[in-house]
Each structure stands twice: as structure tokens, then as C-alpha cells.
Amino acid sequence: NELTGMGKPAKVQKLLHAPFTLHDRLMGFIDNEIAHAKAGKEAHIIIKVNAMTEKLLIDKLYEASQAGVKVNLIIRSMCCIRPQLPGVSDNITVRSIVGRFLEHTRVYYFANGHQNPNANGKRTHRLYCASADWMDRNLFRRIEACFPILDRKLRRRVIREGLKSYLVDNCQAW
């Protein structure tokens, strides 16, 4: 790719990778949650990253909030989104968990209307682990990887221990 100077993107099936597919797919996942909210289905996004500064994704999260999507952000350090602004980000909460150990996990959860199981009876939410924070440098100027968690037991564990436990923490959160 001449623009990034990083060559051609690899053709992979499930892996999302920056600077080629990750940003566009994240924007699409948020658009999908917006469509679910407008259709009256469950629409929920949980993002756990160290930093969130990328303007287009932030604007898309504001759009999602205005459409009725519940957005929970777990951000360790820099965060340029302003939660709980009337009419703009009413449905967005931001939590920061501080503690003794530096946290590096990045997890992206999209409900994908999962209250309605697919034809096989499986929940359809999307769950990804990634190396990328939601920053310009990570999404456009570095090689970063994002992969889906497909195993059911591991998905439950990542959601329960990697996301929900952070959302209920009342000791080291602000």
C-alpha cells in the first residue's frame, strides 16, 4: 500500500489487521450495533483498551449512543470521549481501573443483537482480543492484530473475567 508504506494486506479470513482492515471493520461493527438499536434489538458495545483517541471511532460511538446503543468503555489512560453529555453521549460510560499492575489486554465486544440466537441456537455476539488501542498510531501507522474468540468456554471467561468484572469493580475504578 503506497499510502502506508507497508506493502499489500494479507488475505485472511477472520483476523483483522491494522493498518488495512481493522479500522473499517470496527466502524462497521459499530454501524451494525446502531442498526440493531434502531430495530429494537439488543445493542451493546464494551471496549477495553489502554487509550482511546481516534476521532472517527469516537464520533461513531457518539452516533451509536444517540441511536440508543449502550456503550461501556474501560480505558486505562488517555480517553478523548466525553461520556454522559445530554443528547450526545447519554448511553456512554467510561471507567478507568488503576492498580499495581499495568494492564495490557484489549477486548472488543459487540452484542450484535444477540438476544436472538442464530439458526443453530448459538449466540451471535462478536468478541475480539487485539493488540491495538483505539489511537491513530495503532490503527493507521502500525501493524496490529485483532482476532475473534471463537471457543464458547473461552468467550464466557473473557466476558465474565475480562469485561464484566471490570464493569462492577468499585475499589480501584473511577
Side-chain angles (χ1 to χ4, degrees), residues 39-69:
K41 295 180 182 177
E42 181 178 351
H44 189 188
I45 298 169
I46 306 172
I47 304 299
K48 182 179 177 296
V49 292
N50 288 328
M52 180 172 289
T53 62
E54 202 285 310
K55 184 175 179 359
L56 296 174
L57 285 169
I58 289 171
D59 287 345
K60 187 59 75 175
L61 289 174
Y62 286 145
E63 183 183 337
S65 173
Q66 293 163 23
V69 177

Side-chain angles (χ1 to χ4, degrees), residues 8-35:
K8 292 182 179 181
K11 292 189 191 245
V12 292
Q13 296 296 317
K14 296 182 181 179
L15 183 73
L16 307 178
H17 50 104
F20 304 108
T21 61
L22 182 56
H23 187 269
D24 287 343
R25 292 295 300 277
L26 291 173
M27 295 287 280
F29 292 159
I30 298 169
D31 279 333
N32 191 51
E33 293 302 311
I34 292 169

Side-chain angles (χ1 to χ4, degrees), residues 63-75:
E63 183 183 337
S65 173
Q66 293 163 23
V69 177
K70 180 179 178 182
V71 180
N72 296 112
L73 305 175
I74 305 161
I75 313 291

Side-chain angles (χ1 to χ4, degrees), residues 50-102:
N50 288 328
M52 180 172 289
T53 62
E54 202 285 310
K55 184 175 179 359
L56 296 174
L57 285 169
I58 289 171
D59 287 345
K60 187 59 75 175
L61 289 174
Y62 286 145
E63 183 183 337
S65 173
Q66 293 163 23
V69 177
K70 180 179 178 182
V71 180
N72 296 112
L73 305 175
I74 305 161
I75 313 291
R76 173 129 178 117
S77 63
M78 290 185 295
C79 182
C80 293
I81 202 163
R82 294 193 55 203
Q84 305 295 299
L85 292 175
V88 177
S89 57
D90 302 283
N91 294 313
I92 299 176
T93 61
V94 178
R95 296 176 62 82
S96 181
I97 308 292
V98 295
R100 183 173 172 195
F101 302 106
L102 180 61

Side-chain angles (χ1 to χ4, degrees), residues 134-152:
W134 285 23
M135 303 174 72
D136 287 340
R137 71 177 188 202
N138 295 85
L139 297 166
F140 301 115
R141 294 189 301 279
R142 288 186 179 173
I143 302 294
E144 302 278 1
C146 177
F147 56 92
I149 304 298
L150 303 174
D151 180 79
R152 277 187 27 216

